[in-house]
Amino acid sequence: MSRTALGMPAVRPVRGQGNLHAETAFPAAARAEMGNTQMRANIRHATHTIRGKRANVVNELPDWQALRSAGSALKESVMANLPELLEQFEANVTARGGTVHWARDAAEANRIITNLVQATGSTEAIKIKSMATAEIDLERHLAEHGITATETDLAELIVQLGHDRSSHILVPAIHKNRHEIREIFLREMTETDESLTSEPRDLAEAARAHLREKFLSTKVAISGANFGVAETGTLTVVESEGNGRMCLTLPETLITVMGIEKLVPTFADLEVYLQLLPRSSTGERMNPYTSMWTGVTPGDGPQDVHVVLLDNGRSAVLSDPAGRSALHCIRCSACLNVCPVYEQAGGHAYGSTYPGPIGAILSPQLTGITSAENASLPYASTLCGACYDVCPVKINIPEILVHLRDEDVRTKHGQRPAADAVPTEDGATAALQTPAGPQGTAENIGGGRSTGSASGPAPGRVRRLFQRLPHPPSEMDLMMKGASMVMSSGRRMALAERALPLGRAVAGHDRRISWLPGMAGGWTDVRDIPAPPRESFRNWWAQHADETQDRVRADGTVPDADPAQPTDPHQVKEGDR
Amino acid sequence: MRIALFATCIVDAMYPRVALATVRVLERLGHEVVFPPGQGCCSQMHVNSGYLQDALPVVRNHVKAFSAADYDVAVAPSGSCVASLGHQQPMVARAGGDEDLARRAEAVAGTTYELSQLLVDVLGVTNAAEQLGSWFPHTVTYHPSCHGMRLLRLGDRQKDLVRSVAGVEFTELPDAEECCGFGGTFSFKNPDVSAAMAEEKIGNITATGAQVCTGGDASCLMHLGGAISRTGAGVATVHFAEILASTRQNPLEVTGPVELSIPGPTGRRHRTQAAAGSAAGSASSDAPAAVAADSGESR
Ligand code: SF4
């Protein structure tokens, strides 16, 4: 299955634009967001609840791991055959009376959609929650052309009315609690009054009343899609509230924006994803509404049906064998809900439509590493691996994070070009910046602290190693280069460890180090370092290796004359893997 | 069996007592422990920071050091570093275009065990009190470090060994599977998030009422211990190897000022790893036992 040559287009693929570029580097953005204790409490409560629900419905399935493997393998085959599948999908949609449009990037997609709405003569559209339309910033673009798009998903409506940004893939208003939501409704919905309570039931009822009129009167609907079936040309939307079903059936014109990676080859393949998705996302066995439509059905539902196939950087992601599995994502948000970093920082800190672990790999891949801000995202993880464990399509997020960190380091060192800027007609470009110098490196913008002088800690040999680099080395570069030199030799380690008593002297009487300069200060801002030992193990062992009998005697235990019979270690390790 | 100790760089330089504890436990079972002198680091710090090119010489060194040594199996008191050998070293070698090194790295990783893996799966140790004479009369809770849990799938091996130590009163840690916030260079690249995660973990640790939080990775314990030291929460962080090594005759002390040195012939009193500064003053009554341990262990 692992065909690596994917028949890449001869032209260089475009990079993603729209709501994918972080404006503030993650560490600073996270610090700002973490000041909002109400938000943190809301997110903590919500993620822990949904985490538990997911675990329950996943653990009850005996074939969950097999399902994950199937989901992953299917997506791999989709990526390996994407051009053919897309053409097959287009042919089938067209044959059933739908129209397919191809959009290279956000600007093109926005233009296509605006034209389609304008052609209907309508200045209003109703919307189903969709990541793709958020990614391309469609709502703002439509507004600039005099078209009002109203969100019909409850959480999305809360975000829209609150002039806010989504902070979660599935629960866009996860950062708001019901009291805050009541405030927004009171302020923004003219038909509500003080009698509105903050009971979820009441709030939902208020939203329902607010939207009903829109559903009945609006002639155009805009949706995303969870899946597109190449074999039949069928589109699928999975949702919980029924608002989607209304949008998909009542209006005359239906415009669907779908990322090109959302295809599945055959209708039967949906059985895998329709099991994986609800259990992973809402912790339900089955989602309440699954809508499917294929082109136009005469006399039933929208009679003018369009699909906009969106690239916006996806082909570029596809061209990287080490990162392309990020395109397998089915946007379930399980990785957000288990991520301890997301839990502390919240979704806004990621600065993109895609927050959390998937955002940390997807946003910088779609845009390319174009700025120090976006380059900070792959570092927004402890690599704890919780995301990989829950991902229903087995995306190895930690591995891709490490891959992107490597790309970032090499970009800074001028060893690979920063992502190509592709100017568009709007003049909106993926900003091409020179690789960040010491002022722009992620670690420098990291803690907002100033770094130490680059020349300070560098011995002459290290500095010479850097003379080949186009940019002066950062503090991090120096540390890594120095550590690499020391740690690649037992002899040099032994020598370096002779300096441990120096650290003891720094620690002083209370045997802890509470302040360090430069980058390492990020550690001692909140933690002590214990006073180092007088001697490293290596140096101690050189004097004491042969004292086995003394050690055993001191511990007061005699080696067992007949120790438990060891298993053949090779067998154990084999079985382990 | 001849067992090669991979101390790992942080244990070698900062926590030599953890390496010694590993040696003591294995020698007690009648095995010979050797220390391949060329060893340095597993390369994880470089890899996880994105410095794959600088990781290559570190990988090459590890593979060379352990290929040259003569042993039956190798062991390291760290889930994270053992995971790095199998998951990262071959990748670094391949990224550097050295397929031969990648294969040899896989071979070394194939015979290297995390300590609890070696004890339970290979050496058949399931009851530390009976088989190792382990004794540690304290309330203990346990944090499973992420890489041992998710990359090595250690399951309850470490925890079960600790629970089987005589004298241990074990309390479960709430939300145990949540990361402590260390993450290598994450801890100073994202200091605010890292600190918040540590705070959450420490809240859960103190809620257990345990005197000691143990685990299988010195780096996570250093991070937690360092944050506890700052907050004065009064819980000691101790590697589980030291709990297994502790015996009635040579018990591990967990109160008093932190001392990471291997006890020397001076008989100076000591205790292990990190704990609250506030605990320092109240420790004098433990001195005799500590002295006994020291002198017992000296030459
Ligand atoms: S990366 Fe995996 S877990 Fe995260 S949203 Fe996508 S499919 Fe779900």
Side-chain angles (χ1 to χ4, degrees):
Chain A
M1 176 103 34
S2 56
R3 213 165 27 128
T4 30
L6 289 184
M8 283 307 121
V11 290
R12 205 163 47 181
V14 299
R15 289 292 178 171
Q17 327 150 358
N19 286 328
L20 295 169
H21 295 267
E23 277 168 18
T24 311
F26 185 82
R31 182 167 7 152
E33 292 294 328
M34 284 165 64
N36 187 342
T37 48
Q38 178 67 59
M39 178 203 78
R40 281 172 79 189
N42 296 349
I43 290 181
R44 188 174 190 289
H45 176 75
T47 54
H48 278 246
T49 307
I50 200 163
R51 213 185 273 186
K53 279 177 76 179
R54 176 205 161 272
N56 286 342
V57 295
V58 161
N59 293 340
E60 72 185 17
L61 278 195
D63 62 344
W64 182 253
Q65 294 307 332
L67 266 176
R68 286 177 80 210
S69 299
S72 166
L74 269 170
K75 281 288 182 182
E76 244 176 73
S77 80
V78 168
M79 298 313 149
N81 300 294
L82 196 53
E84 295 83 354
L85 289 171
L86 283 166
E87 284 176 9
Q88 188 188 3
F89 176 77
E90 179 186 35
N92 284 320
V93 172
T94 311
R96 292 292 300 265
T99 312
V100 175
H101 310 260
W102 300 76
R104 275 189 318 175
D105 53 30
E108 234 174 57
N110 284 330
R111 202 162 45 239
I112 292 166
I113 300 159
T114 309
N115 289 344
L116 287 172
V117 179
Q118 283 169 339
T120 68
S122 178
T123 55
E124 291 221 41
I126 45 177
K127 269 200 74 230
I128 309 180
K129 178 177 142 29
S130 131
M131 300 307 293
T133 56
E135 172 187 325
I136 62 177
D137 208 0
L138 176 65
E139 198 186 310
R140 193 175 58 85
H141 189 89
L142 288 175
E144 283 167 9
H145 291 79
I147 300 163
T148 312
T150 305
E151 294 288 352
T152 61
D153 171 271
L154 179 55
E156 225 29 289
L157 179 68
I158 294 164
V159 168
Q160 187 176 47
L161 291 177
H163 311 288
D164 198 356
R165 285 179 303 144
S166 158
S167 68
H168 188 279
I169 290 176
L170 182 77
V171 199
I174 196 169
H175 54 290
K176 296 277 184 228
N177 64 21
R178 53 202 176 96
H179 306 293
E180 293 167 306
I181 294 166
R182 175 181 178 266
E183 292 302 312
I184 293 170
F185 280 11
L186 274 182
R187 196 174 61 233
E188 301 287 333
M189 292 179 180
T190 45
E191 64 274 26
T192 59
D193 57 40
E194 283 295 329
S195 66
L196 181 69
T197 74
S198 55
E199 286 306 309
R201 220 191 144 76
D202 259 22
L203 295 172
E205 198 47 54
R208 193 170 291 143
H210 178 75
L211 290 172
R212 187 162 299 141
E213 173 57 29
K214 294 269 181 222
F215 282 131
L216 295 173
S217 62
T218 311
K219 304 260 178 279
V220 182
I222 300 171
S223 85
N226 291 95
F227 307 101
V229 182
E231 176 191 55
T232 59
T234 305
L235 285 161
T236 310
V237 161
V238 171
E239 40 123 13
S240 298
E241 297 172 10
N243 64 303
R245 181 68 57 83
M246 305 274 270
C247 291
L248 296 169
T249 50
L250 292 175
E252 291 163 8
T253 300
L254 173 58
I255 306 164
T256 300
V257 188
M258 183 177 83
I260 54 172
E261 82 283 18
K262 295 280 163 203
L263 285 186
V264 295
T266 71
F267 198 79
D269 297 330
L270 287 177
E271 75 183 31
V272 174
Y273 297 106
L274 292 180
Q275 292 182 76
L276 288 171
L277 182 55
R279 288 181 196 257
S280 299
S281 64
T282 48
E284 292 169 306
R285 295 186 179 93
M286 190 68 218
N287 47 286
Y289 295 90
T290 301
S291 304
M292 297 182 181
W293 69 102
T294 309
V296 176
T297 304
D300 185 8
Q303 298 297 295
D304 187 16
V305 172
H306 299 267
V307 191
V308 181
L309 293 172
L310 177 71
D311 186 316
N312 206 34
R314 285 159 177 78
S315 294
V317 180
L318 192 58
S319 68
D320 177 4
R324 67 167 68 120
S325 65
L327 294 177
H328 299 182
C329 175
I330 57 173
R331 311 279 189 265
C332 73
S333 75
C335 58
L336 280 64
N337 297 331
V338 296
C339 178
V341 174
Y342 175 87
E343 183 184 328
Q344 299 297 340
H348 293 154
Y350 295 81
S352 153
T353 295
Y354 303 105
I358 181 62
I361 59 170
L362 191 57
S363 311
Q365 285 203 88
L366 286 172
T367 61
I369 295 177
T370 47
S371 68
E373 287 76 17
N374 251 25
S376 74
L377 288 174
Y379 298 94
S381 165
T382 61
L383 306 177
C384 79
C387 48
Y388 180 27
D389 263 14
V390 297
C391 177
V393 289
K394 296 214 290 201
I395 301 172
N396 192 334
I397 295 176
E399 202 171 274
I400 299 179
L401 286 167
V402 166
H403 164 65
L404 294 175
R405 292 175 187 187
D406 173 58
E407 291 219 322
D408 172 49
V409 168
R410 285 187 294 124
T411 305
K412 280 177 193 148
H413 291 176
Q415 292 167 345
R416 64 184 287 285
D420 347 285
V422 181
T424 65
E425 288 160 48
D426 285 18
T429 63
L432 178 69
Q433 301 188 352
T434 48
Q439 277 79 39
T441 56
E443 64 268 22
N444 290 357
I445 49 184
R449 52 177 48 252
S450 62
T451 56
S453 140
S455 59
R461 182 166 163 196
V462 173
R463 209 175 305 129
R464 273 199 305 283
L465 280 169
F466 280 101
Q467 276 167 359
R468 276 174 284 140
L469 301 182
H471 304 284
S474 68
E475 193 182 353
M476 189 73 171
D477 292 339
L478 292 173
M479 192 185 96
M480 287 294 155
K481 191 61 87 182
S484 169
M485 229 160 63
V486 172
M487 289 171 165
S488 56
S489 150
R491 203 174 42 79
R492 286 195 289 271
M493 285 276 283
L495 270 174
E497 287 161 357
R498 298 243 177 261
L500 286 171
L502 220 83
R504 279 178 84 78
V506 171
H509 270 318
D510 63 354
R511 299 217 187 123
R512 48 183 174 169
I513 298 169
S514 306
W515 181 85
L516 286 173
M519 196 171 63
W523 176 280
T524 49
D525 279 350
V526 286
R527 306 169 204 84
D528 293 334
I529 295 181
R534 281 187 289 274
E535 204 172 22
S536 70
F537 180 77
R538 174 193 314 271
N539 292 337
W540 181 89
W541 184 253
Q543 312 293 321
H544 302 271
D546 55 358
E547 294 167 9
T548 302
Q549 290 313 315
D550 296 340
R551 284 191 284 272
V552 173
R553 213 175 307 119
D555 286 350
T557 49
V558 194
D560 202 329
D562 180 26
Q565 215 42 52
T567 316
D568 178 7
H570 302 285
Q571 272 178 9
V572 175
K573 209 63 172 182
E574 282 308 303
D576 211 31
R577 294 280 148 92
Chain B
M1 223 183 314
R2 202 171 149 89
I3 302 174
L5 173 65
F6 170 37
T8 77
C9 64
I10 181 169
V11 165
D12 174 34
M14 283 297 283
Y15 296 91
R17 296 169 56 124
V18 174
L20 177 58
T22 307
V23 170
R24 281 162 61 202
V25 165
L26 296 174
E27 286 182 339
R28 211 176 283 170
L29 290 167
H31 300 290
E32 182 194 355
V33 180
V34 295
F35 181 91
Q39 66 180 272
C41 165
C42 65
S43 81
Q44 188 177 187
M45 178 181 79
H46 287 97
V47 176
N48 289 355
S49 306
Y51 287 73
L52 258 59
Q53 289 172 345
D54 289 328
L56 190 58
V58 182
V59 171
R60 196 165 274 138
N61 177 68
H62 181 86
V63 172
K64 190 171 132 209
F66 280 81
S67 302
D70 177 26
Y71 59 88
D72 299 307
V73 291
V75 68
S78 160
S80 197
C81 303
V82 171
S84 168
L85 300 189
H87 288 256
Q88 296 188 326
Q89 289 202 349
M91 182 266 287
V92 170
R94 291 201 171 95
D98 194 338
E99 182 60 31
D100 178 56
L101 179 65
R103 294 236 175 82
R104 289 194 299 136
E106 275 160 2
V108 170
T111 54
T112 307
Y113 292 80
E114 183 278 331
L115 178 59
S116 72
Q117 262 181 340
L118 180 71
L119 287 172
V120 176
D121 300 357
V122 182
L123 303 181
V125 175
T126 50
N127 188 320
E130 280 177 21
Q131 291 167 285
L132 301 171
S134 311
W135 183 74
F136 189 64
H138 301 278
T139 44
V140 179
T141 191
Y142 164 76
H143 165 63
S145 282
C146 300
H147 294 168
M149 176 169 49
R150 300 203 181 90
L151 290 173
L152 294 183
R153 302 284 173 201
L154 291 181
D156 287 337
R157 285 177 181 81
Q158 294 177 347
K159 185 165 83 175
D160 287 348
L161 283 171
V162 170
R163 293 181 83 131
S164 72
V165 170
V168 161
E169 196 185 310
F170 191 84
T171 57
E172 288 286 350
L173 181 66
D175 285 335
E177 71 292 340
E178 267 202 56
C179 177
C180 69
F182 172 62
T185 44
F186 175 84
S187 57
F188 54 81
K189 283 200 171 201
N190 282 282
D192 301 276
V193 181
S194 175
M197 288 165 70
E199 196 183 309
E200 186 128 355
K201 180 61 72 180
I202 291 167
N204 284 326
I205 292 172
T206 47
T208 66
Q211 293 165 280
V212 171
C213 175
T214 192
D217 270 285
S219 47
C220 306
L221 294 172
M222 177 164 92
H223 159 76
L224 286 174
I228 291 173
S229 164
R230 192 58 66 85
T231 60
V235 183
T237 52
V238 175
H239 194 283
F240 83 99
E242 289 204 82
I243 294 182
L244 297 186
S246 174
T247 62
R248 277 175 208 276
Q249 190 173 313
N250 188 6
L252 171 72
E253 292 303 322
V254 289
T255 49
V258 183
E259 177 53 73
L260 302 185
S261 304
I262 289 178
T266 53
R268 240 182 290 161
R269 56 176 300 277
H270 64 272
R271 73 178 186 83
T272 187
Q273 311 222 7
S278 61
S282 62
S284 50
S285 61
D286 297 319
V291 171
D294 265 339
S295 47
E297 208 168 75
S298 64
R299 275 155 288 182

